[in-house]
C-alpha cells in the first residue's frame, strides 16, 4: 500500500468519525431536549434534568466506545507490517480492556444510581443509530457518485 493510499484511507476514516460524532451530537441533543420536556410534563420524583443527563451521558459513552473501536482498528489492522495473528491478538486485548472500562463505568453509574438506567441505555443506543445513519449516508453518496 502506497503512502497516498494510506493517506486516503486515513482521511476516509476521519470523515466517518466526524460524521458519526456530528450525527450523534444532533440525535442526543434532540433526545435530551425531549427528555427534559417529558420530565417537566410528567413531574416525576426525580429532578427535571435527571433523565436528560442520563441520555447525554449514554450518548457520550456510546460515542467514546465507537471512537475507541475506530482507533483500535486503525492501529491494529491498518498498521504496516502487522501479522494476522498479532493483529487479532492485539484486537482481542484492546477490546477486552475497552469493554472492561465501559463495564466498570456502567456498573458504578447503575450501582450508585447516579443516572436513570433507561435514559443511559437510550443514549447508548442513539450512538448506534448515528452509526447506521452515517453508513446509510455514505452508501447513498457512493451510489450517486458512481452513476
Amino acid at each position: 500500500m502506497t503512502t497516498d493510499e494510506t493517506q486516503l484511507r486515513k482521511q476516509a476514516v476521519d470523515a466517518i468519525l466526524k460524521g458519526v460524532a456530528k450525527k450523534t451530537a444532533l440525535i442526543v441533543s434532540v433526545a435530551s431536549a425531549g427528555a427534559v420536556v417529558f420530565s417537566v410534563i410528567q413531574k416525576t420524583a426525580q429532578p427535571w434534568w435527571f433523565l436528560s443527563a442520563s441520555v447525554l451521558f449514554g450518548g457520550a459513552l456510546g460515542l467514546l466506545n465507537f471512537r475507541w473501536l475506530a482507533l483500535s482498528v486503525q492501529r491494529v489492522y491498518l498498521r504496516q507490517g502487522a501479522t494476522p495473528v498479532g493483529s487479532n491478538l492485539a484486537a482481542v486485548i484492546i477490546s477486552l480492556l475497552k469493554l472492561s472500562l465501559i463495564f466498570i463505568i456502567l456498573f458504578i453509574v447503575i450501582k450508585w444510581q447516579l443516572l436513570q438506567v433507561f435514559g443511559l441505555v437510550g443514549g447508548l443506543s442513539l450512538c448506534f443509530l448515528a452509526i447506521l445513519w452515517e453508513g446509510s449516508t455514505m452508501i447513498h453518496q457512493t451510489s450517486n457518485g458512481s452513476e
Side-chain angles (χ1 to χ4, degrees), residues 9-118:
R9 286 185 179 186
K10 286 182 181 181
Q11 288 173 351
V13 169
D14 289 342
I16 291 169
L17 288 173
K18 190 178 288 186
V20 169
K22 286 180 180 179
K23 287 172 175 62
T24 300
L26 175 65
I27 295 169
V28 168
S29 297
V30 170
S32 182
V36 168
V37 170
F38 176 79
S39 295
V40 168
I41 291 172
Q42 289 296 316
K43 297 180 183 168
T44 60
Q46 299 167 333
W48 62 270
W49 53 265
F50 196 66
L51 181 59
S52 180
S54 302
V55 170
L56 286 172
F57 186 81
L61 194 58
L63 187 57
L64 182 65
N65 180 39
F66 177 72
R67 178 84 174 135
W68 282 344
L69 176 65
L71 288 175
S72 66
V73 167
Q74 279 182 310
R75 288 184 181 154
V76 173
Y77 291 108
L78 298 180
R79 191 174 44 128
Q80 290 182 342
T83 63
V85 173
S87 293
N88 289 340
L89 182 62
V92 167
I93 291 170
I94 290 170
S95 293
L96 283 173
L97 291 173
K98 174 183 66 98
L99 291 174
S100 296
L101 180 61
I102 289 172
F103 174 77
I104 290 168
I105 292 169
L106 289 174
F107 179 80
I108 290 170
V109 166
I110 293 169
K111 176 75 173 165
W112 292 346
Q113 297 178 356
L114 300 174
L115 297 170
Q116 211 262 358
V117 175
F118 293 116

